[in-house]
Amino acid sequence: QRLGVGKGDRVVAYLPNIPETLVAYLATTSLGAIWASCASEFGSRSVIDRFGQIEPKVLLAVSGYTYGDKPIDRGDNVAEILAGLPTVEHVVEVPYGIEGKGSSPLPGLDTPTVAWADLLAEHAPLAFEPVPFDHPLVVLFSSGTTGLPKAIIHGHGGILLEHIKNHVLSWDFTPDDRLMWFSTTAWMIWNASMSSLLVGTSVVMLDGNPMWPDLDGQWALAAETETTVLGLSPGYTMACRKAGMSPTTTHDLSRVREICSAGSPLPPEGALWLVETFGPDVLLNNGSGGTDVCSGMVQGNPLIPVYAGEMSGRCLGVATAAYDPDGNEVVGELGEMVITQPMPSMPVGFWGDDSGARYQGAYFDDYPGVWRQGDWIRFDERGSSVITGRSDATLNRGGVRLGTAEFYRVVEELPEITDALVVHIEDPSGGLGRLVLFVVTADGAALDDDLRRRIAVDLRTALSPRHIPDEIIEMPGVPRSLTGKRLELPVKKMMQGVDPTKVASRDALADPAILDAYADWVTP
């Protein structure tokens, strides 16, 4: 309030997942102001592309953070971000320290800088600004891998209803629970996790490298904090399984009663490993949702069966289905994931999209009046579902659609392969097209003729002859967004002749040099 923040103003945070971020989020929204956050590992251009759209009044930032045991300085980035955000009137410097090692102060800035301690120096009664049901609460951003990220506005009432419904009825949270789910502040899981406080559930805030000091780190922290609900990424689960870990024998995880999984498809092998590790009394809740609704669309709940590799059912109050290209609902076959009735947390709109044209084009152009999420999903007759990947990266080989996730599930089972990316270039005449599989080999392994043959045999045996790649190429890594998503579409566009500098925003990439390697391969 002393910084002049009031109803409708925007407060933005360039902060990691630390308690101060949560405090600032709650303080902002209590004033009727609007919150947006980016993870502190985002590059300055990526942050400006997001925050610049909403013209913020206050920026909260750290001058640096720690990734594992490595200090990362962010002072210059903050200065660059400020230079690109002319509406910012105040910068709040938030302290960040690990084991007594504080970060260095921000460099000299033209914008007035306020210390975090100064904001806490004056007590005031706890009060909340009344706002309309659809008043903006937060702005979340799409990945920004192509073009300017969508600035997705979520309203107070919609998020409140959706998160209470989801957290109480689907996630089964109670005031006795403690949630630990690694997330950056740029992922909707962060917002959803913070909403656990709505139902009295405590939150373990984990920042930094989720694999530090090793794969055992998250299990050790879950035991130390007596976590009851544990959120795990499928990639982490599969890595632990591949490493032959047995966390329940090395740690006291007896309080864990539910494991949630989201972010990408969880292979059946991962689900079975979790059940074998934790036993039948721990609920495995595998789900999928999106930034667009800041919630789940398909997932489990304590009342319905769990099938390995599947999401148990539609989320309560979410009328989701699979559609064929003509807009007919299909069961037992892959189709576009759609929502046919409104749900509370559908966005209020996109920031700056006064006509609604961009919002309409993003979700409703393919099936008028029906929301298209952009995932490729299959429902079976019992209502459970499997998501096989993004529909814009789905492979259409000779009229047969193939999901990317099933490729990765098979290929990454090979001990010589640590990561993979598959791209299909369609044949306009209706032929099979060109299917290219990029692989990253483990230390000491090499992509030779024998490994290529085993990859082809495993894909043919586990999936079908149509899944055998035309080419298998070794690469130094797989290009991913800052939230860990594989970037099949930018690689595909490069292979189709699009200028590599135009296929993705470099600041939205976890490691831009990896995408450069693909560009070099496309145009040697």
Side-chain angles (χ1 to χ4, degrees):
Q1 285 178 315
R2 292 196 304 278
L3 300 183
V5 172
K7 188 174 178 180
D9 289 329
R10 277 77 67 199
V11 174
V12 295
Y14 185 52
L15 296 176
N17 186 16
I18 55 178
E20 290 84 354
T21 310
L22 171 56
V23 170
Y25 171 45
L26 297 177
T28 297
T29 58
S30 75
L31 299 174
I34 303 162
W35 174 267
S37 56
C38 279
S40 45
E41 62 262 32
F42 274 39
S44 55
R45 181 71 258 165
S46 185
V47 176
I48 294 167
D49 284 348
R50 288 159 170 78
F51 291 167
Q53 297 183 60
I54 63 174
E55 300 179 305
K57 191 170 190 175
V58 173
L59 168 69
L60 298 106
V62 290
S63 61
Y65 63 97
T66 305
Y67 191 76
D69 58 356
K70 181 181 179 183
I72 310 291
D73 183 80
R74 274 307 194 223
D76 290 343
N77 282 65
V78 174
E80 291 171 4
I81 290 166
L82 271 174
L85 300 176
T87 60
V88 170
E89 298 176 6
H90 299 277
V91 179
V92 178
E93 183 171 3
V94 178
Y96 184 101
I98 293 291
E99 297 176 355
K101 301 175 183 177
S103 57
S104 58
L106 286 171
L109 303 171
D110 294 333
T111 307
T113 303
V114 181
W116 175 256
D118 291 343
L119 291 188
L120 308 181
E122 181 181 336
H123 294 282
L126 186 62
F128 302 91
E129 177 70 23
V131 295
F133 186 91
D134 61 352
H135 183 77
L137 171 74
V138 297
V139 176
L140 301 181
F141 299 94
S142 62
S143 61
T145 52
T146 57
L148 204 62
K150 299 191 294 286
I152 303 168
I153 306 170
H154 286 291
H156 274 256
I159 288 295
L160 182 68
L161 283 178
E162 179 61 33
H163 284 180
I164 290 178
K165 177 267 294 184
N166 181 81
H167 292 22
V168 173
L169 299 177
S170 290
W171 285 355
D172 193 33
F173 286 176
T174 74
D176 296 326
D177 280 311
R178 186 167 298 161
L179 169 69
M180 185 183 113
W181 196 329
F182 177 82
S183 172
T184 75
T185 55
W187 190 21
M188 54 78 47
I189 284 292
W190 186 85
N191 301 79
S193 296
M194 299 311 107
S195 290
S196 302
L197 303 180
L198 288 169
V199 298
T201 294
S202 304
V203 183
V204 178
M205 301 187 75
L206 171 61
D207 171 55
N209 182 353
M211 303 296 190
W212 186 85
D214 49 38
L215 280 175
D216 189 56
Q218 287 193 54
W219 303 114
L221 186 59
E224 177 188 343
T225 56
E226 299 185 347
T227 288
T228 63
V229 182
L230 186 58
L232 300 175
S233 73
Y236 179 75
T237 297
M238 296 302 288
C240 292
R241 172 184 176 271
K242 198 168 186 177
M245 296 180 67
S246 181
T248 53
T249 61
T250 54
H251 300 286
D252 179 6
L253 296 169
S254 58
R255 291 205 64 197
V256 175
R257 67 178 188 86
E258 179 176 1
I259 295 175
C260 297
S261 181
S264 61
L266 176 66
E269 296 85 355
L272 290 169
W273 179 78
L274 287 170
V275 172
E276 290 165 358
T277 300
F278 284 87
D281 293 332
V282 173
L283 172 65
L284 174 58
N285 195 339
N286 184 21
S288 180
T291 300
D292 318 82
V293 297
C294 197
S295 187
M297 298 178 185
V298 286
Q299 63 179 334
N301 70 56
L303 302 180
I304 53 179
V306 179
Y307 300 91
E310 300 182 14
M311 284 152 282
S312 296
R314 296 165 172 84
C315 290
L316 295 168
V318 184
T320 187
Y323 270 18
D324 68 14
D326 296 323
N328 301 307
E329 184 173 356
V330 293
V331 177
E333 61 184 84
L334 286 171
E336 287 279 0
M337 184 177 180
V338 299
I339 305 174
T340 60
Q341 300 285 338
M343 61 182 285
S345 63
M346 282 177 172
V348 174
F350 292 167
W351 198 275
D353 180 32
D354 295 338
S355 70
R358 196 177 182 208
Y359 181 93
Q360 177 76 24
Y363 305 115
F364 296 103
D365 272 4
D366 291 74
Y367 306 109
V370 173
W371 173 293
R372 184 183 77 89
Q373 176 61 19
D375 287 323
W376 199 242
I377 192 168
R378 179 178 63 249
F379 284 96
D380 62 27
E381 304 234 347
R382 59 180 176 242
S384 63
S385 62
V386 174
I387 289 181
T388 61
R390 292 289 297 173
S391 56
D392 54 12
T394 298
L395 319 175
N396 187 348
R397 203 156 201 225
V400 176
R401 297 205 173 205
L402 315 172
T404 56
E406 50 195 358
F407 272 88
Y408 305 138
R409 181 168 66 85
V410 173
V411 173
E412 291 172 13
E413 278 293 293
L414 291 163
E416 295 92 345
I417 304 298
T418 61
D419 211 349
L421 182 137
V422 65
V423 173
H424 180 240
I425 306 298
E426 293 83 1
D427 181 351
S429 64
L432 295 180
R434 180 188 180 197
L435 186 63
V436 181
L437 176 65
F438 301 96
V439 297
V440 181
T441 57
D443 290 342
L447 182 63
D448 54 19
D449 289 342
D450 176 65
L451 182 55
R452 283 189 170 91
R453 181 188 58 78
R454 284 191 288 128
I455 291 172
V457 169
D458 284 2
L459 286 169
R460 183 179 67 240
T461 303
L463 301 175
S464 79
R466 288 185 185 269
H467 289 78
I468 298 175
D470 299 300
E471 302 168 69
I472 303 176
I473 309 296
E474 185 170 1
M475 281 290 177
V478 166
R480 293 180 182 270
S481 70
L482 285 165
T483 55
K485 293 182 179 179
R486 290 179 174 93
L487 302 182
E488 293 108 336
L489 195 57
V491 174
K492 179 175 180 176
K493 286 184 175 181
M494 286 194 296
M495 293 173 63
Q496 292 174 317
V498 178
D499 183 342
T501 63
K502 293 184 172 23
V503 299
S505 168
R506 293 182 69 83
D507 277 344
L509 305 178
D511 185 350
I514 291 179
L515 192 63
D516 292 341
Y518 286 75
D520 292 342
W521 175 81
V522 170
T523 55

